[in-house]
């Protein structure tokens, strides 16, 4: 009976995470046990703007009662209502209440901050929380004015900083310098659309090299790819200074040299999305990073695939082949390049996208190269459909779709033979596939079977 009561309490806490604030408050009135369990189980909450953004009669009493219910909150989300006024006094009183009644608060998420006056009101009044905040998440915002950045640097205990700015608000050098002063950061995400730079005089990301404790760095440019050269890591030594880095993700931010990655002994995960094809020299530099366990490359040239064979410790490989604007790739030759990666014996996940042809015989060779593969995602040319995939005897997740190398491509769907799929599969996703009732006769060419009399659905 005691174990049953303990189990019901755990279930109640899990269910409570999906209830609205009003429903949780009502459920806590059922009994003392529910009162305690539902209070302890909630660690994150989103406060409506009328409780903190502008002055409302009885506002402080409502906020106090809410915080009295949830005494173990670790994160608060505040979404600013841009149609309403922003009262500095109300924000200050709310922040002081957080400080006095939320000793477990560690994270703050702010969203929809556009106006410079709003930035000043928030950053000024959040100073009382700086000793306890370790996480700051800024969503859907314009970059703060330069004259308020000294307030941001007061949060010296921050270990995680995520900034997403999808608007036409420029990332400038003072922003990077202010972030570089937060030397306790372990996790940094910068997602931006415009920068204060040009192709001839790009904005340098080198000020981030002062974050020597950083373990996870993601820099994503989301603007026009033609303007991606306006921001860049200028000096290879800037990345080499991040000796504790374990995860690096760079999207549409040029990296003139990848040689510095070999000097990061703890770098295990790398994701590169470049507007231009990765050069042979850059791929050669990557081949020396034998500490890598996961790598994702976009726009890699098919002839450079064999250069990745020294990365024998890889467990996850994601490749998107560079497609020239005109012409096509030699699909069958490209497929044979994968066999040169037979040394990657520890590979568990493979994702491949591009004009690469994998016949049933080629799939069989790849299954022999990587006998422990559990995840396979193919967006390529499969002339024999799913024939050959049954030889991946440990496969658990499979995704298939034909590669459309341009919008006018009329490549046929992938033929899917369910009866010949690996028995170990637990997840299957097919996009633009024909499900065939029966496998083709052994005497016939499976590639020509699509036009036969067998039924498809």
């Amino acid at each position: 009976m005691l174990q049953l009561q303990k189990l019901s309490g755990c279930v109640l806490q899990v269910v409570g995470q999906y209830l609205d604030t009003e429903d949780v408050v009502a459920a806590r009135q059922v009994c003392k046990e529910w009162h305690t369990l539902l209070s302890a189980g909630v660690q994150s909450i989103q406060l409506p703007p009328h409780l903190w953004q502008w002055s409302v009669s009885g506002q402080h009493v409502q906020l106090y009662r809410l915080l009295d219910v949830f005494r173990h909150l670790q994160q608060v989300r505040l979404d600013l209502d841009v149609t309403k006024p922003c009262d500095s006094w109300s924000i200050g009183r709310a922040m002081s209440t957080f400080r006095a009644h939320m000793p477990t608060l560690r994270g703050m998420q702010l969203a929809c901050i556009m106006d410079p006056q709003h930035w000043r009101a928030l950053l000024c009044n959040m100073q009382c929380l700086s000793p306890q905040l370790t996480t700051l998440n800024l969503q859907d915002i314009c970059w703060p004015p330069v004259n308020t950045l000294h307030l941001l640097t007061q949060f010296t205990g921050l270990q995680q900083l995520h900034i997403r700015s999808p608007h036409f608000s420029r990332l400038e050098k003072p922003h990077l310098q202010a972030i570089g002063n937060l030397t306790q950061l372990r996790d940094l995400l910068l997602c931006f659309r415009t920068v204060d730079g040009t192709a001839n005089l790009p904005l340098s990301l080198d000020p981030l090299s002062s974050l020597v404790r950083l373990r996870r760095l993601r820099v994503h440019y989301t603007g026009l790819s033609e303007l991606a050269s306006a921001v860049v890591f200028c000096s290879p030594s800037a990345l080499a200074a991040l000796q504790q880095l374990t995860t690096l993700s760079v999207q549409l931010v040029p990296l003139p040299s990848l040689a510095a990655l070999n000097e990061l002994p703890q770098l295990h995960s790398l994701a590169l999305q470049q507007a231009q094809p990765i050069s042979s020299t850059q791929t050669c530099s990557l081949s020396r990073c034998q500490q890598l366990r996961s790598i994702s490359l976009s726009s890699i040239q098919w002839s450079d695939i064999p250069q990745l064979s020294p990365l024998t410790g890889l467990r996850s490989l994601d490749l998107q082949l560079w497609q020239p604007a005109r012409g096509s790739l030699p699909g069958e030759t490209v497929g044979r390049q994968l066999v040169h990666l037979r040394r990657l014996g520890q590979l568990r996940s493979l994702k491949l996208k591009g004009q690469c042809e994998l016949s049933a015989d080629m799939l069989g060779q790849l299954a022999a190269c990587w006998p422990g593969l559990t995840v396979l995602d193919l967006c390529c040319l499969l002339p024999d459909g799913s024939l050959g995939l049954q030889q991946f005897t440990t496969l658990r997740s499979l995704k298939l779709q034909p590669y459309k190398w341009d919008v006018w491509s009329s490549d046929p769907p992938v033929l899917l033979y369910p009866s010949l799929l690996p028995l170990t599969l637990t997840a299957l996703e097919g996009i633009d596939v024909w499900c065939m009732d029966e496998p083709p006769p052994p005497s016939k060419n499976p590639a020509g079977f699509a036009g036969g009399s067998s039924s498809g659905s």
Side-chain angles (χ1 to χ4, degrees):
M1 180 62 70
L2 183 59
Q3 292 181 350
L4 182 60
Q5 291 178 348
K6 184 177 181 180
L7 177 62
S8 63
C10 295
V11 172
L12 181 63
Q13 288 185 321
V14 172
V15 173
Q17 299 177 10
Y18 300 94
L19 297 178
D20 295 333
T21 303
E22 295 79 4
D23 296 331
V24 173
V25 173
R28 291 178 72 252
Q29 308 302 320
V30 173
C31 62
K32 291 183 178 179
E33 183 180 5
W34 282 33
H35 184 281
T36 303
L37 290 174
L38 289 175
S39 299
V42 178
Q43 297 182 351
S44 178
I45 193 172
Q46 178 178 349
L47 294 181
H50 72 268
L51 289 184
W52 61 273
Q53 182 178 337
W54 63 88
S55 181
V56 178
S57 178
Q59 176 187 63
H60 188 259
V61 175
Q62 295 181 47
L63 182 59
Y64 178 81
R65 288 177 177 176
L66 187 64
L67 299 183
D68 184 57
V69 171
F70 306 107
R71 299 187 178 186
H72 304 280
L73 289 174
Q74 296 185 10
Q75 181 171 345
V76 172
R77 172 168 177 167
L78 306 177
D79 288 9
L80 190 128
D81 188 346
V82 295
T83 65
K84 299 291 185 178
C86 189
D87 180 41
S88 179
W89 183 81
S90 298
I91 295 176
R93 185 172 64 173
M95 298 299 171
S96 298
T97 305
F98 296 161
R99 173 65 174 169
H101 300 284
M102 299 175 62
T104 58
L105 182 64
R106 295 294 179 268
M108 183 79 72
Q109 180 172 335
L110 306 176
C112 305
I113 309 175
M114 312 292 179
D115 190 272
Q117 297 300 323
H118 297 169
W119 270 117
R120 179 172 293 278
L122 281 165
L123 292 178
C124 284
N125 290 292
M126 286 176 58
Q127 295 303 304
C128 63
L129 296 174
S130 59
Q132 64 188 89
L133 285 184
T134 60
T135 300
L136 183 59
N137 195 338
L138 306 176
Q139 301 275 352
D140 192 21
I141 56 101
C142 289
W143 287 95
V146 174
N147 58 5
T148 64
L149 293 178
H150 67 282
L151 300 173
L152 181 62
T153 59
Q154 300 300 316
F155 296 91
T156 55
L158 283 182
Q159 298 183 15
Q160 181 185 90
L161 177 62
H162 292 178
I163 304 179
R164 291 181 173 88
S165 177
H167 306 284
F168 289 101
S169 171
R170 290 187 176 185
L171 171 64
E172 303 178 19
K173 183 177 179 180
H175 294 124
L176 296 173
Q177 292 175 337
I179 295 173
N181 290 330
L182 303 175
T183 55
Q184 299 298 319
L185 282 179
R186 267 66 166 177
D187 184 353
L188 175 62
L189 166 63
L190 297 179
C191 186
F192 47 90
R193 187 173 182 179
T194 56
V195 298
D196 185 23
T198 63
N200 295 327
L201 189 61
L203 176 66
S204 174
L205 296 174
D206 292 355
L208 301 181
S209 61
S210 60
L211 304 176
V212 295
R213 291 182 173 84
L214 209 60
R215 300 184 63 85
R216 190 180 186 189
L217 174 62
R218 290 170 290 171
V219 183
H220 296 170
Y221 170 72
T222 60
L224 296 175
S225 58
E226 294 82 1
L227 304 178
S229 58
V231 57
V232 65
F233 282 99
C234 295
S235 172
S237 60
L239 277 177
L242 307 178
Q243 288 291 296
Q244 297 190 29
L245 202 63
T246 62
T247 300
L248 175 62
S249 176
V250 180
Q251 176 178 309
L252 296 182
V253 175
L255 290 174
S257 174
L258 300 181
L261 300 181
N262 186 40
E263 302 178 26
L264 302 177
Q266 300 187 46
L267 185 63
H268 292 160
S269 178
L270 174 65
L272 294 180
Q273 181 180 345
Q274 303 289 287
Q276 300 298 324
I278 299 175
S279 66
S280 298
T281 303
Q282 291 177 316
T283 307
C284 183
S285 298
L286 287 177
S287 67
R288 302 188 184 98
C289 302
Q290 298 191 14
Q291 74 277 20
L292 286 174
R293 297 296 178 263
S294 173
I295 189 169
S296 175
L297 301 177
S298 70
S299 301
I300 184 173
Q301 302 182 79
W302 67 270
S303 57
D304 293 335
I305 292 179
Q307 294 194 49
L308 300 177
S309 60
L311 304 177
T312 55
L314 278 183
R315 299 180 64 87
S316 177
L317 179 62
D318 184 350
L319 298 179
Q320 182 174 343
L321 304 180
W322 176 70
Q323 180 70 44
R326 295 182 178 180
S328 58
L329 302 181
E332 187 175 353
T333 304
V334 175
R336 286 197 292 266
Q337 296 292 322
L338 294 173
V339 181
H340 293 284
L341 301 180
R342 63 172 64 92
R343 293 174 56 188
L344 309 184
Q346 299 185 42
L347 201 63
R348 296 295 180 267
S349 174
L350 173 65
K351 297 182 180 180
L352 179 64
K353 181 178 182 180
Q355 199 172 2
C356 172
E357 183 175 306
L358 298 179
S359 62
D361 178 66
M362 181 58 62
L363 288 173
Q365 295 184 47
L366 297 180
C369 293
W370 308 312
L373 205 66
T374 59
V375 177
L376 184 60
D377 185 343
L378 298 178
C379 178
C380 56
L381 308 178
L382 298 168
D384 300 334
S386 63
L387 293 180
L389 291 176
Q390 67 272 20
Q391 300 185 55
F392 290 92
T393 56
T394 60
L395 204 60
R396 295 184 176 275
S397 176
L398 174 63
K399 181 179 180 180
L400 298 175
Q401 61 178 318
Y403 176 68
K404 308 289 186 180
W405 67 281
D406 63 17
V407 294
W408 308 109
S409 178
S410 59
D411 295 326
V414 175
L415 302 182
L416 181 65
Y417 303 95
S419 60
L420 295 180
L421 292 176
L423 299 178
T424 54
L425 272 185
T426 59
L428 173 63
E429 180 179 356
I431 300 176
D432 197 7
V433 301
W434 281 354
C435 188
M436 310 303 290
D437 296 335
E438 298 178 359
S443 60
K444 293 186 178 182
N445 182 5
F449 179 66
S453 58
S454 297
S455 61
S457 59

